Amino acid sequence: SADGGINLSLDAIPMGLPMSDPAAWTTAMNNLGMAPMGMTGQPLLPDFDPALGVMTGIPPINPMMPGLGIVPPPIPPDMPAVKEIIHCKSCTLFPPNPHLPPPATRERPPGCKTVFVGGLPENGTEQIIMEVFEQCGEVIAIRKSKKNFCHIRFAEEFMVDKALYLSGYRIRLGSSTDKKDTGRLHVDFAQARDDLYEWECKQRMLAREERHRRRLEEERFRPPSPPPVVHYSDHECSVVAEKLKEWRAFQRGGELPDDTKFLEAIQTLLTWIERGEVNRRTANNFYSMIQSANSHIRRLVNEKAAHEKEMEEAKEKFKLALSGILVQFEQIVAVYHSASKQKAWDHFTKAQRKNISVWCKQAEEIRNIHNDELMGIRREEEMEMSDEEIEDPSEMKETEESALVSQVEALKEENDSLRWQLDAYRNEVELLKQEQGKASRDEDTTKEQQMKLLQQALQGMQKHLLKVQDEYKKREAELEKVREDKLKIETLLENLKEQESSASRACACSQEKECPAEKTLSNSPVKSEREVLLVGIISTFLHVHPFGASIEYICSYLQRLDSKICTAEVEVLMTRLQNTFRQELSGVGASLEKRWKFCGFDGLKMT
């Protein structure tokens, strides 16, 4: 640029011209932070680092970057750029005074590849201009004016930045000092229609690519449109009917059909019905297709049952695996507990003990979580089993009755469907009769055959209808029998309840009669000689233990004498004798304990 801060790389510059003073060119390129190249393509300074320049504050710029929008970094005001003499074959370029301000430039036009060069010598030719500026890059055209200026068009935009570096240099042709052989170069951006046209073409191409990319992205994320549904015709109707009937063939032992065909057929049938394709002529075809679709319900129920069975098997596998994991957790926790005992604990270091205790806590927490999960699964299974056991015979009868009712309803629906089919066949017969009078004699034979076929079909349908009616009557009779059995079972249950209530009343009366005798027996606290012996032994035992003893301790002593003695019997006997034995509480909080003491001497004074 005008301030001299643009790199001028020779990687892309054809160096076919000899340099009379390579040291000056090297110094100038080194100031720009670029590796100078010789005529043979070898670097003039082998130890040159392109990331570092002689002048601090001028960072290196990649000369291959596009020139559009590039603004060179500013040079500090206290650090002027140092430019060296450049020797060419026919001329010499002398740098400007570094203390002078940089030459002014106009605003860079978009896509600029053309520069204005003013201040040329009067004797300067296109060959000399080409010699100077071809070092900046490939020159496409030079338009030289009769006056001392010209326009140079380069192949790329970044070459313009290299040419601007030469702005301010004084040019001298050969060794002449004539004014016509000298001049001061002024290089600036030029606005050319060719550059603007190419830049606009490039922008339009980028915009097209961007639109194409966005369109591809939108098409990639757009959901696929559903396939179009064919219009109704007799041929398409037969194709859809065959697809719907494939599962019937599979249930009779055929090959497994594809679900996609069934879904396509159902969608087509739904679309036809919504379009209004059902009329008097096509009603039978649509009814047969709907009936075929209805037959798929049984298949779906069977598939659901199979999936539920698989789910149950998976639950069983999960429960078995969880129980195995719990067993392994128990073993690991047992290892931790055994390692925590005094015998092995003393041999571990402090850090090892800490790790073992932390591991033990973690293992116990995980074990408890898995154990709770397993117990929850078992509780759910027990609840399900209990719900199944609660069902009584009356509910079983109700389920059987509901099944019979559903079968009767299904038979009714089938009966109605058969009647509708009969009506449809009759309508077809009437239509055929009407068409028979209008048709020619050649068609009479075919229509008579159709009539015969329809009559045979009607006869078959009537026979089937009679069979269905007979089955319907039989099922109604079975339903009435089931209802009678249910009434008998309910009467039996009521009789059993009455018998149970009478038996409970009789037991209550007998208990009331036995109560007076028990009251007479219970007047004395000691009822038998055995209890007298127990009182004597307990008194002797407690007299030896003045601070008292627990009921378990007393019973353990008595069971040595007689193993049939139980704790409840001894406790009831001692509570009856309040003047002989007294119960006291000792301890605090969790160590609270009940103790029995002998108080017969005090009780003797009180009685």
Side-chain angles (χ1 to χ4, degrees):
S1 67
D3 56 2
I6 295 296
N7 289 341
L8 196 63
S9 174
L10 296 180
D11 294 341
I13 297 175
M15 296 296 293
L17 297 175
M19 291 186 293
S20 59
D21 190 2
W25 185 262
T26 302
T27 305
M29 295 298 102
N30 191 13
N31 290 335
L32 295 174
M34 296 165 49
M37 305 296 291
M39 294 177 62
T40 58
Q42 300 295 327
L44 297 176
L45 296 177
D47 56 348
F48 176 77
D49 187 3
L52 297 174
V54 172
M55 295 178 58
T56 58
I58 304 178
I61 297 177
N62 184 7
M64 297 305 293
M65 291 174 61
L68 181 60
I70 289 182
V71 177
I75 299 176
D78 57 345
M79 190 65 66
V82 178
K83 297 183 178 181
E84 298 293 336
I85 300 173
I86 300 174
H87 295 276
C88 298
K89 183 179 179 181
S90 303
C91 62
T92 306
L93 300 177
F94 296 93
N97 189 356
H99 299 289
L100 293 176
T105 58
R106 62 181 296 179
E107 185 180 358
R108 181 170 191 152
C112 179
K113 295 181 183 179
T114 306
V115 294
F116 166 81
V117 181
L120 294 171
E122 292 183 8
N123 296 331
T125 60
E126 288 188 8
Q127 184 179 1
I128 295 173
I129 296 170
M130 178 68 75
E131 179 183 347
V132 174
F133 285 95
E134 71 178 356
Q135 299 174 9
C136 301
E138 183 183 355
V139 177
I140 300 298
I142 296 176
R143 294 190 297 273
K144 188 175 182 303
S145 175
K146 293 181 180 179
K147 297 183 180 181
N148 302 331
F149 70 88
C150 69
H151 289 85
I152 303 173
R153 190 163 189 264
F154 292 97
E156 299 293 338
E157 294 180 25
F158 69 90
M159 299 174 184
V160 174
D161 300 317
K162 296 180 181 181
L164 289 175
Y165 173 76
L166 301 176
S167 183
Y169 269 81
R170 287 182 296 108
I171 183 171
R172 187 179 68 183
L173 303 180
S175 59
S176 175
T177 58
D178 190 5
K179 288 185 179 181
K180 294 184 179 181
D181 295 333
T182 60
R184 183 181 296 274
L185 298 179
H186 174 71
V187 185
D188 196 358
F189 299 109
Q191 189 167 6
R193 284 178 294 180
D194 295 341
D195 298 342
L196 183 62
Y197 176 73
E198 289 183 2
W199 181 79
E200 289 177 351
C201 291
K202 186 176 180 181
Q203 295 300 316
R204 285 195 291 270
M205 181 186 69
L206 293 175
R208 285 195 300 271
E209 291 178 355
E210 181 66 19
R211 287 196 299 272
H212 181 65
R213 187 185 60 80
R214 289 182 181 177
R215 193 180 301 112
L216 290 178
E217 289 291 328
E218 292 175 358
E219 290 177 357
R220 189 162 63 90
F221 289 107
R222 185 185 299 139
S225 58
V229 179
V230 297
H231 292 281
Y232 177 81
S233 63
D234 293 336
H235 173 68
E236 294 296 337
C237 178
S238 62
V239 171
V240 172
E242 288 296 328
K243 289 182 180 179
L244 292 173
K245 291 177 182 178
E246 283 184 358
W247 277 102
R248 283 189 176 181
F250 168 66
Q251 291 174 358
R252 294 171 185 169
E255 295 181 356
L256 182 64
D258 190 4
D259 281 338
T260 56
K261 292 184 179 179
F262 175 72
L263 293 174
E264 291 175 359
I266 283 290
Q267 186 64 33
T268 305
L269 179 60
L270 177 62
T271 307
W272 286 348
I273 293 173
E274 290 178 351
R275 285 178 181 173
E277 300 289 348
V278 183
N279 50 35
R280 189 174 182 182
R281 186 177 65 83
T282 61
N284 294 328
N285 295 331
F286 275 96
Y287 178 77
S288 63
M289 288 189 286
I290 293 170
Q291 191 175 10
S292 300
N294 185 40
S295 64
H296 284 262
I297 295 174
R298 189 183 304 169
R299 188 257 303 179
L300 295 175
V301 171
N302 293 334
E303 286 185 0
K304 181 187 175 185
H307 289 307
E308 288 177 351
K309 185 178 179 182
E310 290 178 359
M311 186 176 68
E312 293 295 331
E313 292 176 355
K315 281 184 179 179
E316 289 294 329
K317 289 181 181 178
F318 174 70
K319 190 170 68 175
L320 292 173
L322 195 60
S323 60
I325 291 170
L326 279 175
V327 170
Q328 296 179 14
F329 268 118
E330 292 290 343
Q331 293 176 355
I332 294 170
V333 171
V335 169
Y336 289 143
H337 285 310
S338 62
S340 301
K341 291 181 180 178
Q342 195 72 22
K343 186 176 180 181
W345 190 254
D346 294 338
H347 298 286
F348 294 115
T349 62
K350 190 174 181 181
Q352 291 173 348
R353 292 177 186 174
K354 185 177 179 181
N355 289 335
I356 291 172
S357 60
V358 170
W359 294 339
C360 184
K361 288 180 181 178
Q362 291 177 354
E364 286 179 349
E365 289 176 359
I366 297 171
R367 179 198 63 185
N368 293 335
I369 291 170
H370 285 74
N371 197 6
D372 294 340
E373 189 175 357
L374 185 61
M375 292 301 293
I377 294 171
R378 289 178 178 172
R379 282 195 212 99
E380 289 178 0
E381 291 180 353
E382 289 176 358
M383 290 174 66
E384 290 177 359
M385 294 295 292
S386 62
D387 292 339
E388 291 176 358
E389 291 175 357
I390 289 170
E391 293 181 356
D392 54 355
S394 62
E395 290 182 357
M396 296 295 289
K397 291 291 183 181
E398 287 178 0
T399 55
E400 292 178 359
E401 183 179 355
S402 63
L404 288 172
V405 169
S406 63
Q407 290 179 0
V408 169
E409 290 177 355
L411 288 171
K412 284 182 179 179
E413 291 179 358
E414 192 171 358
N415 189 8
D416 294 336
S417 66
L418 290 172
R419 285 178 182 173
W420 293 337
Q421 287 183 2
L422 282 173
D423 293 337
Y425 282 124
R426 286 170 184 168
N427 292 331
E428 288 185 0
V429 169
E430 290 177 358
L431 289 172
L432 288 171
K433 285 181 179 179
Q434 292 175 2
E435 292 176 358
Q436 190 176 9
K438 298 177 182 179
S440 61
R441 296 178 181 179
D442 297 333
E443 295 177 354
D444 290 343
T445 55
T446 57
K447 288 185 178 180
E448 286 176 1
Q449 291 177 358
Q450 290 179 359
M451 288 286 293
K452 290 179 181 179
L453 292 173
L454 289 172
Q455 288 176 357
Q456 291 176 0
L458 282 171
Q459 291 175 359
M461 296 296 291
Q462 287 175 354
K463 290 179 181 178
H464 186 63
L465 181 60
L466 292 173
K467 289 181 182 179
V468 170
Q469 288 178 352
D470 294 336
E471 289 180 1
Y472 176 70
K473 291 179 180 177
K474 290 179 182 179
R475 294 297 172 89
E476 282 185 344
E478 290 177 1
L479 185 60
E480 289 178 358
K481 289 181 181 180
V482 169
R483 287 175 180 171
E484 291 175 0
D485 293 340
K486 183 179 178 182
L487 291 173
K488 290 179 181 179
I489 290 170
E490 288 177 353
T491 53
L492 289 172
L493 288 172
E494 290 177 356
N495 293 332
L496 287 172
K497 288 180 181 177
E498 289 177 359
Q499 290 176 4
E500 287 177 359
S501 61
S502 61
S504 62
R505 290 173 186 170
C507 290
C509 293
S510 63
Q511 287 178 0
E512 289 177 357
K513 290 178 182 178
E514 291 174 2
C515 283
E518 289 178 359
K519 289 179 182 177
T520 54
L521 291 172
S522 63
N523 289 331
S524 59
V526 182
K527 298 180 181 180
S528 62
E529 186 177 0
R530 184 172 182 275
E531 291 183 354
V532 174
L533 290 172
L534 285 174
V535 170
I537 295 168
I538 293 169
S539 301
T540 307
F541 180 79
L542 292 176
H543 185 65
V544 178
H545 297 78
F547 296 101
S550 63
I551 189 68
E552 289 84 8
Y553 188 25
I554 296 169
C555 291
S556 64
Y557 176 76
L558 294 175
Q559 285 174 356
R560 293 179 184 175
L561 304 175
D562 187 5
S563 60
K564 297 180 181 179
I565 295 173
C566 62
T567 306
E569 180 183 359
V570 175
E571 192 171 8
V572 169
L573 178 61
M574 293 175 74
T575 51
R576 256 191 276 145
L577 301 172
Q578 297 179 358
N579 294 326
T580 308
F581 305 105
R582 183 173 70 252
Q583 188 179 22
E584 292 182 354
L585 298 174
S586 63
V588 178
S591 61
L592 193 65
E593 186 179 10
K594 295 180 180 180
R595 290 179 175 272
W596 289 91
K597 291 185 179 181
F598 178 71
C599 60
F601 300 110
D602 298 332
L604 182 63
K605 294 176 184 179
M606 292 172 66
T607 55

